[in-house]
């Protein structure tokens, strides 16, 4: 049987004449941090102090001895970042130039010093640029000339921290006769049976050439085996009436152990194990009178995708543990998310990411790694890109959560709209990858899943790449130039990106900027705002709805959080109310890779912004919303659950002082997986220009609001409410904050992290009418007083 020796210990990093202890997997920055050579680049302005790290060469070194008794020993790197020369026992054994590939070298009989020398990623990129010529991109960094995590070079939410290192595990594999080089399970199912077709490839030693081998596969109590003398074999298994894997909210997520064993006459040689799930996935792109759709169909069920975009959870990806993946993806599931899009400027994530998605029922949209740039199609990049795609398609295809492959992020759109077309003047720019190479590879290796050429993409050059009526759409004009009400201006078929910024939570800001007097334009705040005119856009977003606070950072921070949550909710509520024309929204973005003002719902320290709580509301199976209509609001009831929704909806027209000016209750029935849109009775509609009235709809604990004018023009009564603290019985670490409202209290928010860095509240923005009560469960902050809590409570206030 194959033996494996992990090479995790005993590594050093050469720093001048010194040898610093190195952690593998890891990277140069984390090793220099541990050795206290560099300051933490996440704090203050330190990012600029460590820029030199990415512009020099680095060498990792260790001593390796082994005596396995096998015919062959391979040195296997699961990930090298990025351009490296490897020497072992005094001889060069290979070079690499791709962060996203696995590398294997025959080192049979070799022992001694193992050295991995990394060139600067900048030097490698410039060398490739000299061969291919210039290509445009959206940032002044050369990320499209090197197969490396593009966002290492900075983004509009990320720092420029250009890494190098052995970022994934490294090991010695000792084997004889033959080993498994590739196992590719194609999983299908129909109404009665599940099928698993397993295509395997093997590598043989010289003594193993021509020897008869046996491949055996088992799943769900079924077994298949085949004898063969070549390098490839196919096994087929049938499972009667398998339990189907479903996205969360649609059913359960049963997983089956699939084991493949390679044997010869003397016994086992190699083994492979994964978990699979039985399900079908299709992409309905049917042309209709409104354009062409983009609807996921899982096990025959049409799905409105409730999605979030995912970026690397740390700018140093080797720090992201399986536990951290589980926490972050659990936060997504807690927000009723059912789809996570892995964005093309990051990485193909670790196996633990996809395992968690399999178990949580989170569908995975996987970008190939191209983003916001024109990519040369010449060598040496073309060969690297094909090898990278083959590696990762085969690695990831067993996961049932993976539902689509996507060719790129915004590159087709960029070619058409960002001035690239005349600049390229006939040079290659990536189209051959997205419309040629990648769809061919997916069809060859993983025909059980759909492929789309890009996001956004209208399906063909017959339409603009970002045409909202065809395929996928990215909505960025609203954040960049408009009020969030403009999300309601159209109904795209599928919104794959949209979002609104807000700063991190206060505890995260205090950790990242410990010595700074916080202000929107203080040095650290500006440094941790990477978006072009980011603060100006934040201020414009607030000023359209509220008086812009002057000299009151706490108030500014609260209002930016309110506007972010309201903006994203406005888009989702509108688009969900138009199902099935619109079949999904993917919010930019779920997470951050460091402490920064960004579009994230969860900040760089893992704390939830109010947006995260708001996603839980607007992505719930059942949603009540009031939408602007032709002259009067429309009440929409969205029922994404599997059962009919029967309820009583109460609508009230209220005065700013709380007086009831009109009331109506009606019984409604909303079929499963459908939307009911109802006009609001004329007598309940507030006048279009009134500052004295608003409309409230309530049903089954859900609430929707309609205010005819912006908050800054509405005649709010000064909010008044009482609070009381009630310890939770049986759990001394938790307390209920009970709030009793005496007036309208709009968008009440308890910023729990102000009470302690580990404190959490179980809800975000909450609107109370006069006489109403709410309970906010507070956890993780120890003993607090009513005064402490009141200081951490904010709401819309006319003052």
């Amino acid at each position: 049987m194959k033996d494996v020796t992990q090479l995790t210990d005993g590594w050093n990093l050469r720093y001048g004449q010194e040898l610093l202890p190195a952690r593998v997997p890891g990277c140069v920055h984390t090793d220099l941090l541990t050795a206290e050579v560099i300051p933490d680049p996440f704090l203050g302005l330190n990012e600029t102090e460590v820029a030199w790290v990415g512009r020099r060469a680095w060498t990792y070194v260790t001593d390796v001895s082994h005596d396995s008794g096998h015919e062959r020993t391979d040195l296997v790197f699961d990930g090298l970042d990025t351009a490296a020369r490897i020497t072992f026992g005094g001889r060069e054994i290979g070079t690499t130039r791709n962060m996203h590939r696995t590398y294997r070298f025959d080192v049979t009989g070799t022992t001694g010093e193992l050295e991995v020398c990394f060139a600067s990623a900048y030097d490698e990129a410039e060398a490739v640029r000299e061969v291919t010529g210039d290509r445009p991109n959206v940032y002044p960094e050369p990320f499209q000339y090197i197969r490396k995590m593009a966002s290492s070079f900075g983004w509009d939410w990320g720092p420029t921290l250009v890494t190098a290192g052995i970022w994934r595990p490294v090991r010695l594999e000792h084997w004889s006769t033959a080993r498994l080089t590739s196992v590719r399970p194609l999983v299908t199912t129909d109404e009665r049976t599940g099928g698993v077709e397993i295509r395997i490839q093997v590598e043989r030693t010289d003594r193993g050439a021509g020897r008869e081998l046996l491949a055996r596969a088992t799943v769900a109590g079924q077994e298949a085996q085949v004898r063969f003398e070549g390098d490839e074999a196919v096994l087929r298994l049938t499972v009667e009436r398998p339990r189907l894997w479903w996205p969360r909210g649609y059913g359960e997520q049963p997983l089956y152990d699939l084991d493949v064993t390679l044997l010869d006459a003397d016994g086992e040689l190699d083994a492979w194990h994964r978990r699979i799930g039985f399900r079908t996935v299709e992409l309905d792109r049917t042309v209709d009178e409104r354009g062409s759709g983009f609807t996921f169909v899982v096990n025959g069920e049409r799905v409105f995708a409730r999605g979030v975009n995912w970026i690397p959870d740390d700018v140093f990806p080797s720090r992201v543990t399986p536990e951290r993946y589980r926490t972050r993806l659990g936060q997504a599931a807690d927000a009723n998310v059912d789809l996570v899009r892995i964005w093309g400027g990051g990485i193909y994530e670790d196996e633990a990411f996809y395992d968690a998605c399999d178990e949580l029922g989170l569908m995975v949209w996987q970008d190939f790694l191209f983003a916001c740039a024109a990519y040369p199609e010449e060598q040496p990049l073309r060969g690297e890109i094909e090898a990278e795609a083959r590696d990762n398609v085969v690695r990831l295809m067993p996961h049932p959560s993976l539902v689509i492959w996507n060719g790129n992020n915004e590159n087709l759109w960029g070619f058409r709209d960002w001035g690239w077309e005349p600049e390229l003047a006939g040079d290659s720019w990536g189209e051959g990858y997205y419309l040629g190479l990648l769809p061919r590879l997916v069809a060859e290796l993983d025909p059980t899943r759909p492929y789309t050429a890009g996001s956004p993409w209208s399906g063909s050059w017959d339409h603009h790449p970002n045409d909202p009526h065809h395929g996928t759409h990215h909505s960025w004009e609203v954040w960049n130039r408009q009020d969030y009400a403009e999300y309601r201006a159209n109904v795209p078929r599928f919104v794959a990106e949209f979002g609104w910024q807000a700063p991190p939570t206060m505890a995260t800001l205090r950790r990242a900027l410990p010595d700074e007097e916080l202000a929107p334009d203080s040095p650290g705040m500006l440094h941790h705002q990477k978006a072009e005119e980011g603060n100006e856009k934040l201020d414009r977003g607030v000023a359209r709805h509220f008086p812009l606070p002057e000299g009151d950072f706490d108030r500014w921070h609260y209002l930016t959080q309110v506007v972010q949550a309201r903006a994203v909710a406005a888009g989702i509520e509108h688009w969900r109310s138009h199902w099935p024309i619109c079949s999904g929204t993917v919010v930019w973005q779920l997470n951050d890779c460091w402490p920064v003002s960004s579009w994230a719902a969860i900040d760089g320290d893992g704390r939830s912004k109010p947006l995260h709580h708001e996603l839980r509301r607007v992505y719930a199976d059942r949603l009540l919303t009031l939408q602007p209509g032709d002259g009067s609001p429309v009440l929409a009831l969205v029922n994404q659950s599997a059962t009919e929704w029967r309820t009583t909806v109460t609508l009230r027209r209220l005065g700013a002082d709380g007086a009831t000016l009109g009331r109506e209750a009606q019984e409604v029935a909303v079929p499963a997986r459908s939307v009911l849109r109802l006009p609001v009775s004329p007598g309940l509609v507030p006048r279009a220009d009134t500052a004295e009235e608003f409309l409230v709809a309530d049903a089954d604990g859900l609430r929707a609001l309609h205010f005819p004018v912006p908050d800054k023009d509405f005649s709010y009564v000064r909010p008044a409410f009482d609070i009381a603290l009630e310890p939770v019985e049986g759990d001394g670490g938790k307390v209920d904050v009970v709030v009793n409202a005496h007036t309208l209290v709009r968008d009440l928010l308890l910023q729990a992290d102000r009470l302690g860095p580990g404190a959490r509240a179980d809800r975000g923005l909450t609107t109370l009418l006069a006489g109403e009560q709410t309970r906010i469960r507070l956890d993780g902050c120890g003993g607090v007083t009513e005064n402490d809590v009141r200081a951490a409570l904010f709401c819309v206030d006319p003052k």
Side-chain angles (χ1 to χ4, degrees):
M1 186 66 172
K2 179 174 72 177
D3 294 327
V4 176
T5 304
Q6 299 292 340
L7 300 180
T8 55
D9 299 325
W11 286 92
N12 289 290
L13 173 67
R14 284 208 180 109
Y15 176 63
Q17 300 303 310
E18 293 184 74
L19 286 178
L20 304 177
R23 183 170 183 176
V24 172
C27 73
V28 171
H29 288 81
T30 54
D31 291 331
L32 295 176
L33 271 169
T34 300
E36 299 183 347
V37 172
I38 61 172
D40 188 340
F42 286 12
L43 304 184
L45 309 183
N46 290 344
E47 175 200 351
T48 58
E49 299 299 314
V50 303
W52 60 272
V53 175
R55 293 192 173 272
R56 56 174 286 180
W58 296 94
T59 298
Y60 283 80
V61 62
T62 190
D63 286 312
V64 176
S65 62
H66 60 93
D67 182 15
S68 71
H70 279 281
E71 297 174 55
R72 172 87 171 261
T73 296
D74 290 345
L75 175 62
V76 183
F77 292 95
D78 284 340
L80 291 172
D81 177 15
T82 294
R85 184 181 77 257
I86 301 107
T87 59
F88 190 13
R91 69 180 179 92
E92 182 176 311
I93 62 171
T95 60
T96 72
R97 62 197 320 162
N98 193 325
M99 180 181 182
H100 309 301
R101 288 182 59 187
T102 295
Y103 290 95
R104 177 180 294 267
F105 305 101
D106 182 352
V107 295
T108 305
T110 305
T111 60
E113 186 175 72
L114 173 60
E115 192 173 75
V116 185
C117 303
F118 290 96
S120 162
Y122 284 103
D123 292 345
E124 167 70 9
E126 290 305 327
V128 171
R129 186 185 345 223
E130 287 183 13
V131 173
T132 64
D134 277 335
R135 300 293 193 281
N137 70 13
V138 296
Y139 299 110
E141 295 278 328
F143 61 83
Q144 75 265 50
Y145 304 103
I146 182 170
R147 295 310 297 161
K148 174 178 172 57
M149 184 172 90
S151 55
S152 285
F153 292 90
W155 221 260
D156 58 2
W157 36 258
T160 301
L161 293 168
V162 179
T163 52
I166 306 171
W167 76 289
R168 279 186 167 158
V170 55
R171 62 190 175 275
L172 293 173
E173 292 188 358
H174 316 281
W175 56 281
S176 300
T177 305
R179 70 174 185 90
L180 294 165
T181 62
S182 171
V183 178
R184 192 159 54 87
L186 300 172
V187 182
T188 57
T189 187
D190 57 27
E191 293 180 358
R192 295 178 301 280
T193 61
V196 187
E197 179 183 284
I198 306 156
R199 297 185 171 270
I200 68 168
Q201 294 180 329
V202 301
E203 181 183 11
R204 297 171 180 262
T205 64
D206 290 341
R207 279 189 279 174
R211 183 178 297 191
E212 183 180 74
L213 301 176
L214 174 68
R216 178 186 299 141
T218 60
V219 67
Q222 304 301 305
E223 180 178 302
Q225 59 183 35
V226 62
R227 297 183 183 274
F228 64 103
E229 296 180 352
D231 296 333
E232 297 183 358
V234 179
L235 300 97
R236 293 180 175 86
L237 290 149
T238 299
V239 178
E240 296 296 330
R241 300 194 179 281
R243 297 171 60 216
L244 296 182
W245 184 96
W246 288 93
R248 62 180 315 279
Y250 288 80
E252 297 180 346
Q253 293 79 43
L255 298 169
Y256 292 81
D257 289 307
L258 173 61
D259 289 283
V260 177
T261 308
L262 182 68
L263 309 95
D264 68 357
D266 297 325
E268 292 187 5
L269 300 172
D270 202 355
W272 177 97
H273 169 80
R274 292 289 188 280
R275 294 181 304 172
I276 62 171
F278 291 94
R279 58 102 183 92
T280 62
V281 58
E282 304 165 88
L283 188 61
D284 185 353
R285 300 185 241 208
T286 302
V287 175
D288 56 30
E289 69 279 2
R290 294 179 177 270
S292 48
F294 192 93
T295 304
F296 288 103
V297 184
V298 181
N299 299 328
E301 186 82 57
R302 299 173 68 81
V303 173
F304 182 98
R306 295 170 279 189
V308 288
N309 282 274
W310 171 276
I311 66 170
D313 204 52
D314 198 312
V315 75
F316 307 131
S318 59
R319 296 200 297 200
V320 183
T321 62
E323 294 75 21
R324 183 160 156 185
Y325 276 127
R326 178 73 56 166
T327 296
R328 200 70 68 244
L329 292 167
Q331 288 173 303
D334 287 344
N336 292 313
V337 167
D338 61 21
L339 180 143
V340 179
R341 176 190 169 211
I342 300 178
W343 167 77
I347 59 175
Y348 304 99
E349 296 289 344
D350 189 79
E351 211 71 34
F353 176 98
Y354 304 91
D355 286 342
C357 290
D358 290 343
E359 296 168 14
L360 292 168
L362 294 170
M363 296 180 288
V364 175
W365 163 324
Q366 178 69 61
D367 281 14
F368 288 101
L369 301 185
F370 305 89
C372 301
Y375 284 79
E377 297 176 38
E378 291 79 24
Q379 297 292 12
L381 290 175
R382 186 177 183 86
E384 287 293 339
I385 284 163
E386 178 167 355
E388 166 192 318
R390 287 184 178 276
D391 264 15
N392 288 285
V393 170
V394 172
R395 176 172 75 92
L396 300 180
M397 61 186 291
H399 293 280
S401 56
L402 180 58
V403 296
I404 191 169
W405 296 101
N406 173 49
N408 74 89
N409 176 75
E410 298 190 343
N411 295 345
L412 296 160
W413 181 21
F415 177 75
R416 180 53 48 87
D417 268 7
W418 300 349
W420 296 359
E421 196 166 358
E423 184 178 344
L424 287 163
D427 287 340
S428 67
W429 57 275
E431 182 182 27
Y433 299 143
Y434 320 134
L435 299 179
L437 175 66
L438 294 174
R440 286 198 301 271
L441 290 178
V442 171
E444 171 195 343
L445 299 172
D446 188 17
T448 66
R449 287 181 179 85
Y451 169 87
T452 185
S455 184
W457 180 234
S458 59
S460 78
W461 287 115
D462 292 339
H463 309 285
H464 187 280
N466 200 29
D467 187 334
H469 300 104
H470 298 273
T472 51
H473 177 68
H474 289 194
S475 177
W476 284 116
E477 279 298 295
V478 175
W479 155 253
N480 284 322
R481 295 173 180 83
Q482 300 170 341
D483 180 45
Y484 61 74
E486 294 305 311
Y487 284 132
R488 304 185 185 108
N490 57 30
V491 183
R493 305 311 298 264
F494 191 104
V495 187
E497 278 190 23
F498 80 107
W500 203 275
Q501 267 203 358
T505 62
M506 285 297 295
T508 297
L509 285 173
R510 289 183 181 125
R511 187 191 71 81
L513 306 172
D515 301 319
E516 183 159 302
E517 184 176 343
L518 296 176
D521 59 353
S522 59
M525 285 295 295
L526 290 178
H527 185 76
H528 288 248
Q529 166 61 275
K530 297 297 186 179
E532 184 179 2
E533 298 181 351
N535 272 17
E536 289 85 347
K537 293 170 185 176
L538 282 173
D539 285 349
R540 286 202 300 268
V542 170
R544 289 184 176 109
H545 296 269
F546 303 97
L548 194 63
E550 298 291 340
D552 186 346
F553 182 78
D554 288 345
R555 194 76 191 161
W556 179 85
H557 182 269
Y558 161 74
L559 291 176
T560 55
Q561 305 290 334
V562 169
V563 173
Q564 181 188 38
R566 285 196 195 176
V568 172
I572 293 174
E573 290 186 32
H574 168 66
W575 294 318
R576 281 193 74 184
S577 76
H578 286 279
W579 162 261
I581 300 167
C582 179
S583 58
T585 57
V586 189
V587 176
W588 189 271
Q589 64 215 66
L590 174 69
N591 58 324
D592 269 325
C593 64
W594 79 312
V596 64
S597 292
S598 84
W599 299 264
I602 300 165
D603 74 17
D605 282 6
R607 296 187 177 91
S608 294
K609 298 182 190 177
L611 172 59
H612 181 242
H613 297 280
E614 193 71 354
L615 287 177
R616 184 186 302 133
R617 180 184 71 83
V618 296
Y619 272 163
D621 280 351
R622 291 173 174 173
L623 173 67
L624 188 69
T625 179
L626 287 163
Q627 293 293 312
D630 293 332
S632 65
V634 172
L635 175 68
L637 293 95
V638 180
N639 181 20
Q640 205 164 340
S641 73
T643 58
E644 182 184 55
W645 183 15
R646 288 185 172 273
T647 188
T648 300
V649 180
T650 302
L651 292 114
R652 286 175 286 173
R653 180 166 62 96
L654 300 177
D657 60 359
T660 300
L661 308 176
R663 187 180 185 281
E664 181 181 284
Q666 54 181 309
E667 303 289 328
V668 297
V670 190
R673 317 289 194 208
S674 66
V675 176
L676 179 65
R677 293 173 64 91
L678 299 169
V680 174
S681 300
L684 295 176
V685 177
R687 297 193 317 273
D689 60 348
T690 182
E692 304 289 341
E693 301 175 5
F694 63 105
L695 179 63
V696 181
D698 291 293
D700 291 347
L702 306 179
R703 170 164 287 173
L705 300 165
H706 168 71
F707 284 76
V709 296
D711 293 75
K712 62 184 179 181
D713 298 326
F714 191 74
S715 298
Y716 282 108
V717 175
R718 182 74 179 272
F721 55 87
D722 296 326
I723 65 170
L725 305 185
E726 296 182 1
V728 177
E729 271 189 52
D731 193 334
K734 296 180 181 178
V735 63
D736 280 347
V737 179
V738 183
V739 181
N740 290 285
H742 304 299
T743 64
L744 170 64
V745 179
R746 182 91 188 272
D747 285 334
L748 180 72
L749 177 66
L750 175 57
Q751 293 192 359
D753 60 286
R754 289 176 178 267
L755 302 172
R760 299 174 303 278
D762 68 346
R763 65 189 58 206
L765 301 172
T766 303
T767 293
L768 301 173
L769 305 180
E772 291 184 337
Q773 182 187 93
T774 191
R775 285 177 177 266
I776 305 170
R777 177 69 49 90
L778 188 60
D779 185 20
C781 61
V784 293
T785 67
E786 289 186 12
N787 286 338
D788 295 332
V789 171
R790 188 172 283 277
L793 276 168
F794 295 81
C795 67
V796 173
D797 192 331
K799 71 178 182 180

